[in-house]
Coordinates of all heavy atoms in Angstrom, one line a residue:
K67 N -101.1 16.8 -15.7 CA -100.4 16.8 -17.0 C -99.1 16.2 -16.8 O -98.4 16.4 -15.8 CB -100.4 18.3 -17.6 CG -99.8 18.3 -19.0 CD -99.8 19.8 -19.5 CE -99.2 19.9 -20.9 NZ -99.2 21.2 -21.4
Q112 N -100.0 14.8 -23.6 CA -99.7 16.2 -24.0 C -98.7 16.1 -25.2 O -98.1 15.1 -25.5 CB -99.0 16.9 -22.9 CG -97.6 16.3 -22.5 CD -96.8 17.2 -21.6 OE1 -96.8 17.0 -20.4 NE2 -96.1 18.1 -22.2
D113 N -98.6 17.2 -26.0 CA -97.6 17.3 -27.0 C -96.2 17.3 -26.3 O -96.1 17.8 -25.1 CB -97.7 18.7 -27.7 CG -98.8 18.7 -28.7 OD1 -98.8 17.9 -29.6 OD2 -99.7 19.6 -28.5
E114 N -95.2 16.7 -26.9 CA -93.9 16.5 -26.3 C -93.4 17.9 -25.8 O -93.3 18.9 -26.6 CB -93.0 16.0 -27.4 CG -91.6 15.7 -26.9 CD -90.7 14.9 -27.9 OE1 -91.0 14.9 -29.1 OE2 -89.6 14.4 -27.5
F115 N -93.1 17.9 -24.5 CA -92.6 19.1 -23.8 C -93.5 20.4 -24.0 O -93.1 21.5 -23.7 CB -91.2 19.5 -24.2 CG -90.2 18.5 -23.8 CD1 -89.6 17.6 -24.7 CD2 -89.9 18.3 -22.4 CE1 -88.7 16.7 -24.3 CE2 -88.9 17.4 -22.0 CZ -88.4 16.5 -22.9
G116 N -94.7 20.1 -24.5 CA -95.7 21.3 -24.7 C -95.6 21.9 -26.1 O -96.2 22.9 -26.4
F117 N -94.9 21.2 -27.0 CA -94.6 21.8 -28.4 C -95.8 21.4 -29.3 O -95.6 20.4 -30.1 CB -93.3 21.2 -28.9 CG -92.1 21.5 -28.1 CD1 -91.0 20.6 -28.2 CD2 -92.0 22.5 -27.2 CE1 -89.8 20.8 -27.5 CE2 -90.9 22.8 -26.5 CZ -89.8 21.9 -26.6
G118 N -96.8 22.1 -29.3 CA -97.9 21.9 -30.2 C -99.2 22.5 -29.8 O -99.4 23.0 -28.7
T119 N -100.2 22.4 -30.7 CA -101.5 23.1 -30.4 C -102.6 22.0 -30.5 O -103.7 22.3 -30.2 CB -101.7 24.2 -31.5 OG1 -100.5 25.1 -31.4 CG2 -102.9 25.0 -31.2
F120 N -102.3 20.8 -31.0 CA -103.3 19.8 -31.3 C -103.1 18.5 -30.6 O -103.8 17.6 -30.8 CB -103.5 19.6 -32.8 CG -103.9 20.9 -33.5 CD1 -103.0 21.4 -34.5 CD2 -105.0 21.6 -33.2 CE1 -103.3 22.6 -35.2 CE2 -105.4 22.7 -33.9 CZ -104.5 23.2 -34.8
N123 N -98.3 15.8 -31.4 CA -96.9 15.6 -31.4 C -96.4 14.8 -30.1 O -95.7 15.3 -29.2 CB -96.1 17.0 -31.3 CG -96.4 17.8 -32.5 OD1 -96.7 17.3 -33.6 ND2 -96.4 19.1 -32.4
G141 N -104.2 21.3 -27.9 CA -103.0 21.0 -27.2 C -102.4 22.2 -26.6 O -103.0 23.3 -26.8
S142 N -101.3 22.2 -25.9 CA -100.7 20.9 -25.7 C -101.3 20.1 -24.6 O -101.0 18.9 -24.5 CB -99.2 21.1 -25.4 OG -99.0 21.8 -24.2
S143 N -102.1 20.7 -23.7 CA -102.7 19.9 -22.6 C -104.0 19.2 -23.1 O -105.0 19.3 -22.5 CB -103.1 20.9 -21.4 OG -102.1 21.8 -21.1
E162 N -100.9 22.9 -18.1 CA -99.8 23.9 -18.2 C -100.0 24.6 -19.5 O -100.4 24.1 -20.5 CB -98.5 23.2 -18.1 CG -97.3 24.1 -18.3 CD -96.9 24.3 -19.8 OE1 -97.4 23.5 -20.7 OE2 -96.3 25.2 -20.1
S163 N -99.6 25.9 -19.4 CA -99.7 26.7 -20.7 C -98.4 27.6 -20.8 O -98.0 28.2 -19.8 CB -100.9 27.6 -20.7 OG -100.8 28.5 -21.8
T164 N -97.9 27.6 -22.0 CA -96.8 28.5 -22.3 C -97.3 29.6 -23.2 O -97.0 30.8 -23.0 CB -95.6 27.7 -22.9 OG1 -95.3 26.6 -22.0 CG2 -94.4 28.6 -23.1
G165 N -98.0 29.1 -24.2 CA -98.5 30.1 -25.2 C -100.0 29.9 -25.5 O -100.5 30.4 -26.5
G166 N -100.7 29.0 -24.8 CA -102.1 28.8 -25.1 C -102.6 27.4 -24.8 O -103.7 27.0 -25.2
S167 N -101.7 26.6 -24.2 CA -102.0 25.2 -24.0 C -103.1 24.8 -23.1 O -103.4 23.6 -22.9 CB -100.7 24.4 -23.6 OG -99.9 24.3 -24.7
I168 N -103.7 25.8 -22.4 CA -104.9 25.5 -21.5 C -106.1 26.0 -22.3 O -107.1 25.3 -22.4 CB -104.7 26.2 -20.1 CG1 -103.6 25.5 -19.4 CG2 -106.0 26.2 -19.4 CD1 -103.3 26.0 -18.0
T169 N -106.0 27.1 -22.9 CA -107.1 27.7 -23.6 C -107.5 26.8 -24.8 O -108.7 26.6 -25.1 CB -106.8 29.1 -24.1 OG1 -106.6 29.9 -22.9 CG2 -107.9 29.7 -24.9
A170 N -106.6 26.3 -25.6 CA -106.9 25.6 -26.8 C -107.7 24.3 -26.4 O -108.8 24.1 -27.0 CB -105.6 25.2 -27.6
Y195 N -90.6 24.1 -20.4 CA -90.6 24.3 -21.8 C -89.9 25.7 -22.0 O -88.7 25.7 -22.5 CB -92.0 24.3 -22.3 CG -92.3 24.9 -23.7 CD1 -91.3 25.4 -24.5 CD2 -93.6 24.9 -24.1 CE1 -91.6 25.9 -25.8 CE2 -93.9 25.5 -25.4 CZ -92.9 25.9 -26.2 OH -93.2 26.5 -27.5
S196 N -90.5 26.8 -21.6 CA -89.9 28.1 -21.8 C -90.1 28.8 -20.4 O -91.2 29.4 -20.2 CB -90.6 28.8 -22.9 OG -90.2 30.1 -23.0
M199 N -92.2 31.9 -19.5 CA -93.6 31.9 -19.9 C -94.5 30.8 -19.4 O -95.7 30.8 -19.5 CB -93.7 32.0 -21.4 CG -92.9 33.1 -22.0 SD -93.3 33.5 -23.8 CE -92.4 32.1 -24.6
D200 N -93.8 29.7 -18.8 CA -94.6 28.5 -18.4 C -95.5 28.9 -17.2 O -95.0 29.5 -16.2 CB -93.7 27.4 -18.0 CG -92.8 26.9 -19.1 OD1 -93.1 27.1 -20.3 OD2 -91.8 26.2 -18.9
K201 N -96.7 28.4 -17.2 CA -97.7 28.6 -16.1 C -98.5 27.3 -15.9 O -99.0 26.8 -16.9 CB -98.6 29.7 -16.5 CG -98.0 31.1 -16.7 CD -98.8 32.0 -17.6 CE -99.0 31.5 -19.0 NZ -97.9 31.8 -19.9
Y298 N -93.0 35.5 -29.7 CA -93.2 34.4 -28.8 C -92.4 33.2 -29.3 O -91.7 32.5 -28.5 CB -94.7 34.0 -28.8 CG -95.0 32.6 -28.2 CD1 -95.1 32.5 -26.9 CD2 -95.1 31.5 -29.1 CE1 -95.3 31.2 -26.3 CE2 -95.3 30.3 -28.5 CZ -95.4 30.1 -27.1 OH -95.5 28.9 -26.6
Y299 N -92.5 32.9 -30.6 CA -91.8 31.6 -31.0 C -90.3 31.8 -30.9 O -89.6 30.8 -30.7 CB -92.3 31.2 -32.4 CG -93.5 30.3 -32.3 CD1 -94.8 30.8 -32.4 CD2 -93.4 29.0 -31.9 CE1 -95.9 30.0 -32.2 CE2 -94.4 28.1 -31.7 CZ -95.7 28.6 -31.8 OH -96.8 27.8 -31.6
A302 N -89.7 31.3 -27.1 CA -90.1 29.9 -26.7 C -89.0 28.9 -27.2 O -88.5 28.1 -26.4 CB -91.4 29.5 -27.3
V303 N -88.6 29.0 -28.5 CA -87.6 28.0 -29.0 C -86.2 28.3 -28.4 O -85.5 27.3 -28.1 CB -87.5 27.9 -30.5 CG1 -88.9 27.5 -31.1 CG2 -87.1 29.2 -31.2
E343 N -91.0 17.6 -34.0 CA -91.2 19.0 -33.6 C -90.2 19.5 -32.6 O -89.7 20.6 -32.6 CB -92.7 19.2 -33.1 CG -93.1 20.6 -32.8 CD -93.0 21.6 -34.0 OE1 -93.1 21.2 -35.1 OE2 -92.7 22.8 -33.7
R347 N -87.5 22.6 -33.0 CA -87.4 23.7 -32.0 C -85.9 23.7 -31.5 O -85.5 24.9 -31.2 CB -88.4 23.6 -31.0 CG -89.8 23.7 -31.6 CD -90.9 23.9 -30.6 NE -92.2 23.9 -31.2 CZ -93.2 24.5 -30.8 NH1 -93.2 25.1 -29.6 NH2 -94.4 24.5 -31.4
V411 N -99.6 25.7 -38.2 CA -99.9 25.3 -36.8 C -99.6 26.4 -35.8 O -100.4 26.8 -35.0 CB -99.2 24.0 -36.4 CG1 -99.5 23.6 -35.0 CG2 -99.6 22.8 -37.3
Y412 N -98.4 27.0 -36.0 CA -98.1 28.1 -35.0 C -99.1 29.2 -35.1 O -99.4 29.9 -34.1 CB -96.7 28.7 -35.3 CG -95.5 27.7 -35.3 CD1 -94.3 28.0 -35.9 CD2 -95.7 26.4 -34.7 CE1 -93.2 27.0 -35.8 CE2 -94.6 25.5 -34.7 CZ -93.4 25.8 -35.3 OH -92.4 24.9 -35.2
M414 N -102.2 29.1 -35.4 CA -103.4 28.8 -34.7 C -103.4 29.4 -33.3 O -104.4 29.5 -32.6 CB -103.7 27.3 -34.6 CG -103.8 26.6 -35.9 SD -105.2 27.3 -36.8 CE -105.0 26.5 -38.4
D415 N -102.2 29.8 -32.8 CA -102.0 30.4 -31.4 C -102.2 31.9 -31.4 O -101.9 32.5 -30.4 CB -100.6 30.0 -30.9 CG -100.3 28.5 -30.8 OD1 -101.3 27.8 -30.6 OD2 -99.2 28.1 -30.9
T418 N -104.0 33.5 -28.4 CA -103.6 33.1 -27.1 C -102.2 33.6 -26.7 O -101.9 33.7 -25.5 CB -103.7 31.6 -26.8 OG1 -102.9 30.9 -27.8 CG2 -105.1 31.1 -26.9
I419 N -101.4 33.8 -27.7 CA -100.0 34.1 -27.6 C -99.7 35.4 -26.8 O -98.9 35.4 -25.8 CB -99.3 34.2 -28.9 CG1 -99.1 32.8 -29.5 CG2 -98.0 34.9 -28.9 CD1 -98.2 31.9 -28.8
N422 N -100.5 35.2 -23.1 CA -99.6 34.2 -22.4 C -98.2 34.7 -22.3 O -97.5 34.5 -21.3 CB -99.6 32.9 -23.3 CG -100.6 31.9 -22.7 OD1 -100.3 31.1 -21.8 ND2 -101.8 31.9 -23.2
Ligands
LIG1 N1 -98.8 25.9 -29.2 C1 -97.9 26.7 -28.5 C2 -96.5 26.2 -28.7 O1 -96.3 25.2 -29.3 C3 -98.2 26.7 -27.0 C4 -97.9 25.5 -26.3 C5 -98.0 25.6 -24.8 O2 -98.6 26.5 -24.3 N2 -97.3 24.7 -24.1 O3 -95.5 26.8 -28.2

Side-chain angles (χ1 to χ4, degrees):
K67 185 176 177 179
Q112 61 167 102
D113 285 298
E114 184 172 13
F115 293 108
F117 304 154
T119 306
F120 300 118
N123 298 334
S142 65
S143 313
E162 174 276 342
S163 173
T164 307
S167 282
I168 291 178
T169 297
Y195 163 2
S196 175
M199 303 193 283
D200 297 340
K201 301 156 295 279
Y298 165 83
Y299 271 97
V303 298
E343 185 59 27
R347 295 190 186 209
V411 174
Y412 303 164
M414 299 299 173
D415 300 331
T418 55
I419 285 294
N422 264 274

